Amino acid sequence: MKITQEIKENTVIMTLDGELDASSSVILDEELSDPEIMKYAKVLVNCQDLNYISSAGLGVFISHLQRFEDAQIKLIFYNMQDKVRNVFEILGLDLLMTIVSDYEEARTIANE
């Protein structure tokens, strides 16, 4: 799993590349726990190259969801592959999290 971050204005764009499993979810948790990320109003997660997500990976996102909501930080996922999106949908996480098709849509929703 490779995680890269890019800062644009008041937005963190986090790109996930590879498989998000029990071992790599620790890295994601560290990235999302970084106090610096709380300085931004929006976190957009590019999932284009995310090939697999385990329950541990989902758990990391779920564990930070409330903290982001409390801080009024928008967390938006985009470019999600069908097989990964299906995991979110099967577990009903698509009802709790904002998942859109592409960066432009994510940016539009983030700016609302």
Side-chain angles (χ1 to χ4, degrees), residues 74-90:
K74 293 182 179 179
L75 178 64
I76 301 171
F77 299 85
Y78 67 98
N79 284 344
M80 197 174 277
Q81 295 182 22
D82 288 344
K83 60 185 175 185
V84 173
R85 188 178 184 125
N86 285 342
V87 174
F88 279 77
E89 290 174 352
I90 288 169

Side-chain angles (χ1 to χ4, degrees), residues 10-12 32 34-44 64-76 110:
N10 63 347
T11 304
V12 176
L32 293 175
D34 185 346
E36 288 293 315
I37 205 166
M38 302 304 284
K39 295 180 179 176
Y40 299 94
K42 306 159 201 166
V43 177
L44 307 183
H64 289 278
L65 188 60
Q66 187 63 51
R67 186 171 65 97
F68 280 23
E69 286 181 5
D70 290 346
Q72 298 182 336
I73 297 172
K74 293 182 179 179
L75 178 64
I76 301 171

Side-chain angles (χ1 to χ4, degrees), residues 8-79:
K8 286 186 177 178
E9 299 172 1
N10 63 347
T11 304
V12 176
I13 300 170
M14 184 176 289
T15 300
L16 307 179
D17 185 351
E19 297 184 354
L20 184 54
D21 56 17
S23 62
S24 58
S25 66
V26 175
I27 299 167
L28 176 64
D29 187 47
E30 290 173 359
E31 295 277 340
L32 293 175
S33 297
D34 185 346
E36 288 293 315
I37 205 166
M38 302 304 284
K39 295 180 179 176
Y40 299 94
K42 306 159 201 166
V43 177
L44 307 183
V45 183
N46 182 359
C47 300
Q48 182 173 350
D49 295 319
L50 177 63
N51 301 317
Y52 169 81
I53 188 165
S54 71
S55 58
L58 292 167
V60 170
F61 284 122
I62 292 168
S63 70
H64 289 278
L65 188 60
Q66 187 63 51
R67 186 171 65 97
F68 280 23
E69 286 181 5
D70 290 346
Q72 298 182 336
I73 297 172
K74 293 182 179 179
L75 178 64
I76 301 171
F77 299 85
Y78 67 98
N79 284 344

